[in-house]
Amino acid sequence: MGVPTVSGLIYYPVKGCAGVPVPEATVTSTGIVSDRSLILVDRDGAFLSQRKTPAMAVIRPTLADDGTRLALAAPGMDDAEFDVLAEGDRRPVSLFNRWFGTGIDQGDAAAKWFAEVLDRYCRLVRVAPDHDRDGWGEHPGKVGFADAHAILLTAQSSLDELNRRIAARGATPVPMNRFRPNIVVTGWPDPFTEDRVRLADVGTVALGYSVRAIRCAVPTVAQETGRPAGPEPTRTLADFRRETEFGGGVSFGMKAAVLTPGHIAVGDEVTVSRWG
């Protein structure tokens, strides 16, 4: 059996937009530094996502190492750069009508750029310095603007098994980026081993299992084009990954809390100290 290691490490500077693969990352109590530290909201403060705005997938944000400068690129648009404001006007933010808080508005120029790409009104806001939000699950932890948890971890063997089933029905396999993970683990021989992880050390970071990741419509969006490309993988996941305790939703991956912040790099071993 191979040693399970980190084969992918990704953060998403703007929630719902393209991810940035990195060779190493600092991890705080709310996840990888700068992961989903920025979010797009509508007039009422409700967050925008690929669920209803799939074109967000082709917006490519990049943050400077110190997080003070945001570079943006998208098909058909001039590249742009904006200062990231850590203080300023507060704007209401809500996620799923379950969490309500505020974020730091990033100004008219950034809002105009995103509005042109998406052809709709939106504002870009940043996590506020006093942001304090609890996750939930077996280990709740803290979370920024992610859906509800600090880390999403997936396993290559799980994707391989899912794609085997997809191919068996004559459909096209899907890439891992459909699931928008933070950490991808290679080396677990059995698919869905991540379901049983309860405590794990990755690099100098300690993770605690929160809950299985219940998937919405986003995995049916092609991340390269920003267009719906379903019904896979949701159709095949529904054959064998329905979670009755979550209203029959399908799952892929695990959500985790950061119990001990630290540093993770691609190639780090994943050591599980407690299994479920």
Side-chain angles (χ1 to χ4, degrees), residues 52-137:
K52 295 183 178 180
T53 313
M56 294 175 70
V58 298
I59 298 175
R60 301 183 302 279
T62 306
L63 276 170
D65 289 343
D66 61 0
T68 61
R69 192 82 175 154
L70 175 68
L72 296 166
M77 290 288 293
D78 291 336
D79 293 354
E81 284 195 26
F82 303 102
D83 289 330
V84 177
L85 307 177
E87 296 287 354
D89 294 338
R90 297 281 180 126
R91 183 170 289 272
V93 176
S94 67
L95 281 86
F96 305 106
N97 289 317
R98 292 196 294 268
W99 178 82
F100 297 85
T102 62
I104 306 300
D105 191 279
Q106 297 299 297
D108 292 342
K112 180 181 179 182
W113 191 92
F114 279 100
E116 286 186 25
V117 177
L118 301 175
D119 193 26
R120 61 167 298 168
Y121 176 92
C122 58
R123 302 293 297 190
L124 180 68
V125 300
R126 179 190 183 276
V127 167
D130 56 354
H131 182 93
D132 184 14
R133 178 182 170 213
D134 293 327
W136 61 275

Side-chain angles (χ1 to χ4, degrees), residues 97-250:
N97 289 317
R98 292 196 294 268
W99 178 82
F100 297 85
T102 62
I104 306 300
D105 191 279
Q106 297 299 297
D108 292 342
K112 180 181 179 182
W113 191 92
F114 279 100
E116 286 186 25
V117 177
L118 301 175
D119 193 26
R120 61 167 298 168
Y121 176 92
C122 58
R123 302 293 297 190
L124 180 68
V125 300
R126 179 190 183 276
V127 167
D130 56 354
H131 182 93
D132 184 14
R133 178 182 170 213
D134 293 327
W136 61 275
E138 187 169 324
H139 293 92
K142 294 291 184 177
V143 61
F145 282 154
D147 283 356
H149 302 91
I151 295 289
L152 172 57
L153 182 150
T154 60
Q156 184 61 46
S157 58
S158 301
L159 181 66
D160 292 344
E161 171 61 15
L162 170 61
N163 279 334
R164 184 190 67 78
R165 291 170 179 253
I166 290 174
R169 72 192 314 161
T172 302
V174 300
M176 186 66 86
N177 66 6
R178 291 281 192 98
F179 298 100
R180 300 175 62 80
N182 295 117
I183 298 171
V184 180
V185 177
T186 297
W188 281 325
D190 297 325
F192 304 104
T193 295
E194 65 273 24
D195 292 348
R196 301 188 293 109
V197 174
R198 291 300 176 265
L199 294 173
D201 293 315
V202 187
T204 61
V205 175
L207 300 177
Y209 172 91
S210 298
V211 68
R212 291 189 187 188
I214 306 303
R215 311 311 308 210
C216 59
V218 171
T220 64
V221 175
Q223 298 299 295
E224 296 76 19
T225 64
R227 296 176 181 173
E232 299 298 352
T234 304
R235 177 177 64 176
T236 296
L237 284 171
D239 291 342
F240 71 113
R241 295 288 296 177
R242 283 204 179 275
E243 306 290 346
T244 56
E245 63 202 280
F246 294 104
V250 301

